Amino acid sequence: MSVTTYTVTGMTCGHCVSSVKEEVGEVPGVTGVEVDLESGRVEVTGDSPDDAAVRAAIEEAGYAVAG
Amino acid sequence: MSVTTYTVTGMTCGHCVSSVKEEVGEVPGVTGVEVDLESGRVEVTGDSPDDAAVRAAIEEAGYAVAG
């Protein structure tokens, strides 16, 4: 089990949060996604999901990963 | 055919626009909904849809009608 935190920019409302959760949740190995809209903090829990795939999913949802 | 314009506050992104379009589009008599995110302008076209029903739909979507 791993927990990785990403900082995502561009999320403005609850719909944005839902989009990110949905896309990241589809990445193989991901078991949980927590998002804090205010800070842009996205905490991804899972069985070592591929970092590049998680980042791609966030971008797929329409947002940018900082750093 | 009537066109009524509302000013809606609280929409922050394209998802918000979609929510408003969807809810207002379900009001009986509404045939078209145009939304400008920047200004919050929502233009409702239809066969004289009920004004209170349109306002209720906007609030149902989670936003406020100004005025």
Side-chain angles (χ1 to χ4, degrees):
Chain A
M1 235 268 295
S2 64
V3 179
T4 310
T5 302
Y6 300 86
T7 300
V8 175
T9 59
M11 297 187 296
T12 56
C13 73
H15 297 118
C16 298
V17 169
S18 299
S19 294
V20 169
K21 280 190 175 181
E22 192 177 318
E23 287 290 339
V24 174
E26 287 174 359
V27 174
V30 171
T31 56
V33 185
E34 290 302 319
V35 178
D36 181 67
L37 175 59
E38 290 297 313
S39 62
R41 184 186 164 97
V42 175
E43 200 174 85
V44 181
T45 306
D47 184 14
S48 300
D50 184 55
D51 179 67
V54 171
R55 289 170 182 270
I58 292 167
E59 282 162 19
E60 182 82 13
Y63 307 96
V65 184
Chain B
M1 235 272 293
S2 64
V3 179
T4 310
T5 301
Y6 301 85
T7 300
V8 175
T9 57
M11 296 187 296
T12 55
C13 72
H15 297 118
C16 298
V17 169
S18 297
S19 294
V20 168
K21 281 191 173 179
E22 191 178 320
E23 287 291 338
V24 174
E26 287 173 0
V27 173
V30 171
T31 56
V33 185
E34 289 301 318
V35 178
D36 181 66
L37 175 59
E38 290 296 313
S39 63
R41 184 187 166 96
V42 175
E43 200 174 84
V44 181
T45 307
D47 184 14
S48 300
D50 184 56
D51 178 67
V54 171
R55 289 170 183 271
I58 291 167
E59 282 161 21
E60 182 81 14
Y63 307 96
V65 184

